Amino acid sequence: MTFINQLSMIPGVLVTQNELLKFEASISGRIIYATDRDYDEARAVWNGMIDRYPEIIVQCATAQDVVKCVNFVREHDIHFAVRGGGHNVAGSSVCDGGMVIDLSQMKQIFVNPQSRIARAEGGVTWGELDTTTQKYGLATPGGVVSDTGIAGLTLGGGFGWLRNKYGLSCDNLVAVEMVLADGRHVRASKDENVDLFWAARGGGGAVGIVTAFEYRLHPVGPEVMFAFVLHPASNARDALRFFRSYVETAPDEVSAMAVLGRVPHTDAFPAAQHGKPYVLFGAMFTGPVDEGERILQPLRDYSTPIVDFSGVMPFTEVQTMWDEDYPSGEMRYYWKSTYLNKLSEGAMDLLIERAYHAASEHSTIDIWHIGGAVKRIPTTASAFANREANFLIGVEANWERRIDDNCNISWTRNLLEDLQPFANGSAYLNFPGLMEGGESFLKKIFRSNYPRMIDIKEKYDPDNLFRLGPIEKYREDRS
Ligand SMILES: Cc1cc2nc3c(=O)[nH]c(=O)nc-3n(C[C@H](O)[C@H](O)[C@H](O)COP(=O)(O)OP(=O)(O)OC[C@H]3O[C@@H](n4cnc5c(N)ncnc54)[C@H](O)[C@@H]3O)c2cc1C
């Protein structure tokens, strides 16, 4: 028996040479080791703060590859991470040592325009899915940046520009195909493996690896009215009051957010405004463009804007509007969140004061309005538990240099702590910081659904093979 260091940094893991060779031969995708030329590219994730060195990266080509990986890591007690689009802020799709089960090359998409259903494999990004479904004038609710993976975003919930009209990404799942801890590859829907389907919608991949997602599609675009306007923050409180009253009466067709930040130093903005505080109103109208123009106009007319990028544009363009602001691998990111039932005066004051004194000029505070279809789904219908709040607050620290890590992370944590008197005590799984907080963080995510999540975990994954959280935590737990 040979001790193969490459395969695990956990002491005591034994894999024979034969077993490894047999495993390699069974995989139809690609296997990448540290000695391969593209190893660094394959291990890199979106957050530049994350720098981890897996021993083996298996770029799966098929669901059967995923099955073989799951069986291999379980049988040999090898720790692992699962990768979709690689955009998790905590970097939970890559691990130090062990194996990355990487689905990013699984890119098949099928659209059935008659039944209005799309089936997309686990490595698809939102840009790829939107471009394909838009060929038929259809779309499903996704995120607001196109290179984010459908996998992680959908499994954790999924807030985007279609949410108030059609719900979260996970609300639009019709079925998933997933690999369970025991290696079975099953389909889950409202009629099959109902409890797995429940846990897949908001459970963040805690019960298995999803190899394919089936989404309900809706007629969208191809052109939509989109408001994207930066107002000066000279009276930011008044601007947020205006936003609050606007969304209170806006129809479900409007999914809106307000963002507090500072004007980027790029040519897209007037030089005199660079670095100055802004209040951004962003909103998409899911419906006829002329009606959208009328209904979104007040967001544009609120003041004399710094810049107004609003207009009638292709839905696919709306979906890429923020892409440039979130470069992959270059910047360091730490994002956390909480939910507010109401945007009180105290909460607004705190958000304004902190936004414009952030440690980095790239950081923002995002106020997502939640309404319409998201709220009509009962909390017990799926693992996603936070539906009653009216606002999701995303606190995004975005910065450039390692030396600034501590002050940016502290800025986010301090604000979250100070927001607690105004908040409802919960958090969004997909804005997880570094997934610190362990069980108390998970309780904030699943809230009243936590006991059912635990029951389903015990039924399908009693040894907790699929852990929510970074691999370091896994090691700590084992030692
Ligand atoms: C630039 C940017 C923009 C964003 N915009 C939005 C937004 O508009 N709305 C929103 O709701 N969220 C948004 N997010 C948050 C986003 O939802 C999460 O970062 C999400 O985890 C990304 O999914 P991924 O597949 O790209 O990431 P990955 O890092 O690949 O995976 C995320 C998590 O899911 C697990 N996972 C991945 N694939 C699978 C699978 N097939 N089966 C089981 N588990 C799996 C991973 O192990 C990991 O823990 C954004 C994030 C970024 C970085």
Side-chain angles (χ1 to χ4, degrees):
M1 191 168 276
T2 322
F3 184 86
I4 304 213
N5 267 328
Q6 292 112 297
L7 270 180
S8 179
M9 286 171 66
I10 300 175
V13 170
L14 295 172
V15 179
T16 66
Q17 194 75 50
N18 271 347
E19 283 167 336
L20 181 60
L21 289 173
K22 209 170 137 201
F23 172 70
E24 285 177 345
S26 74
I27 295 294
S28 54
R30 238 195 108 199
I31 296 186
I32 299 175
Y33 290 107
T35 44
D36 286 311
R37 236 180 332 138
D38 48 358
Y39 172 75
D40 281 334
E41 195 186 320
R43 72 180 179 85
V45 291
W46 166 79
N47 188 348
M49 196 165 51
I50 309 293
D51 186 23
R52 297 193 183 129
Y53 294 81
E55 298 298 334
I56 174 171
I57 300 168
V58 183
Q59 291 187 334
C60 300
T62 63
Q64 275 313 302
D65 281 354
V66 179
V67 169
K68 283 165 195 155
C69 288
V70 168
N71 287 336
F72 195 72
V73 294
R74 187 193 61 247
E75 284 159 14
H76 297 286
D77 201 10
I78 295 165
H79 73 265
F80 66 98
V82 180
R83 180 179 180 130
H87 271 53
N88 185 272
V89 184
S92 52
S93 53
V94 65
C95 48
D96 269 328
M99 177 186 289
V100 174
I101 305 176
D102 180 350
L103 281 75
S104 65
Q105 306 305 307
M106 293 175 60
K107 294 279 194 193
Q108 276 188 2
I109 303 174
F110 295 111
V111 177
N112 183 333
Q114 277 76 42
S115 60
R116 290 192 176 159
I117 288 180
R119 177 183 180 280
E121 287 190 323
V124 169
T125 62
W126 283 107
E128 291 159 349
L129 186 59
D130 287 334
T131 310
T132 310
T133 57
Q134 275 292 279
K135 287 182 188 149
Y136 306 92
L138 300 169
T140 198
V144 303
V145 173
S146 73
D147 53 9
T148 315
I150 61 165
L153 188 138
T154 303
L155 291 169
F159 287 91
W161 296 121
L162 294 171
R163 65 187 178 279
N164 285 2
K165 179 72 176 162
Y166 295 124
L168 303 172
S169 305
C170 70
D171 300 336
N172 285 274
L173 280 176
V174 176
V176 289
E177 294 160 29
M178 67 200 305
V179 180
L180 305 181
D182 62 8
R184 276 182 297 150
H185 188 220
V186 300
R187 186 181 151 89
S189 68
K190 69 175 177 38
D191 306 313
E192 308 150 88
N193 295 304
V194 180
D195 45 4
L196 285 173
F197 188 53
W198 183 91
R201 289 172 293 152
V207 288
I209 302 181
V210 176
T211 54
F213 297 81
E214 277 180 34
Y215 295 97
R216 190 176 308 114
L217 302 173
H218 311 274
V220 175
E223 295 215 305
V224 291
M225 177 60 202
F226 186 54
F228 198 84
V229 51
L230 275 73
H231 295 288
S234 40
N235 193 344
R237 195 208 269 188
D238 185 65
L240 288 189
R241 278 190 188 140
F242 168 80
F243 175 76
R244 182 178 62 189
S245 63
Y246 175 84
V247 295
E248 249 167 37
T249 54
D252 289 357
E253 282 74 15
V254 176
S255 294
M257 67 197 293
V259 178
L260 308 177
R262 279 173 282 180
V263 177
H265 295 256
T266 68
D267 293 343
F269 302 91
Q273 300 290 339
H274 288 181
K276 298 227 170 109
Y278 66 73
V279 179
L280 181 157
F281 295 150
M284 199 187 95
F285 186 85
T286 310
V289 289
D290 47 352
E291 195 182 341
E293 278 180 303
R294 184 174 51 77
I295 289 184
L296 298 185
Q297 192 62 33
L299 294 173
R300 308 175 68 186
D301 289 344
Y302 167 72
S303 79
T304 306
I306 297 170
V307 67
D308 184 357
F309 296 121
S310 313
V312 173
M313 59 186 86
F315 174 67
T316 47
E317 193 178 323
V318 173
Q319 291 293 82
T320 57
M321 202 77 174
W322 255 315
D323 283 13
E324 273 182 22
D325 292 317
Y326 298 104
S328 184
E330 290 169 30
M331 301 259 300
R332 307 170 81 80
Y333 304 95
Y334 181 81
W335 299 358
K336 280 176 98 71
S337 70
T338 192
Y339 292 87
L340 309 185
N341 291 340
K342 59 179 188 158
L343 198 51
S344 64
E345 298 286 308
M348 288 193 302
D349 285 348
L350 183 64
L351 296 173
I352 291 163
E353 190 261 319
R354 298 300 169 84
Y356 303 135
H357 295 94
S360 163
E361 278 203 5
H362 304 294
S363 298
T364 62
I365 295 175
D366 306 344
I367 305 169
W368 304 64
H369 173 244
I370 306 171
V374 181
K375 286 176 173 285
R376 283 195 287 275
I377 293 175
T379 300
T380 51
S382 68
F384 189 89
N386 286 300
R387 294 182 184 276
E388 84 281 11
N390 291 313
F391 300 96
L392 166 65
I393 308 295
V395 182
E396 289 189 5
N398 311 317
W399 69 101
E400 281 156 332
R401 302 177 313 168
R402 179 192 295 265
I403 196 174
D404 299 323
D405 285 2
N406 285 343
C407 60
N408 281 284
I409 290 173
S410 301
W411 173 76
T412 313
R413 288 184 179 161
N414 292 341
L415 172 53
L416 258 295
E417 205 179 308
D418 294 344
L419 262 179
Q420 285 320 301
F422 308 104
N424 76 356
S426 56
Y428 178 37
L429 179 57
N430 283 348
F431 298 157
L434 293 171
M435 276 304 275
E436 63 271 43
E439 195 183 15
S440 73
F441 179 64
L442 295 182
K443 282 183 173 163
K444 285 183 185 176
I445 306 300
F446 297 118
R447 308 185 81 202
S448 54
N449 287 334
Y450 192 64
R452 185 162 180 204
M453 267 307 284
I454 299 290
D455 287 349
I456 296 172
K457 279 288 283 181
E458 275 172 3
K459 183 170 166 195
Y460 291 98
D461 185 17
D463 295 327
N464 203 7
L465 192 71
F466 302 111
R467 299 206 165 205
L468 280 183
I471 296 303
E472 284 80 353
K473 180 81 181 98
Y474 176 82
R475 284 222 211 94
E476 266 167 40
D477 289 352
R478 289 175 54 93
S479 59

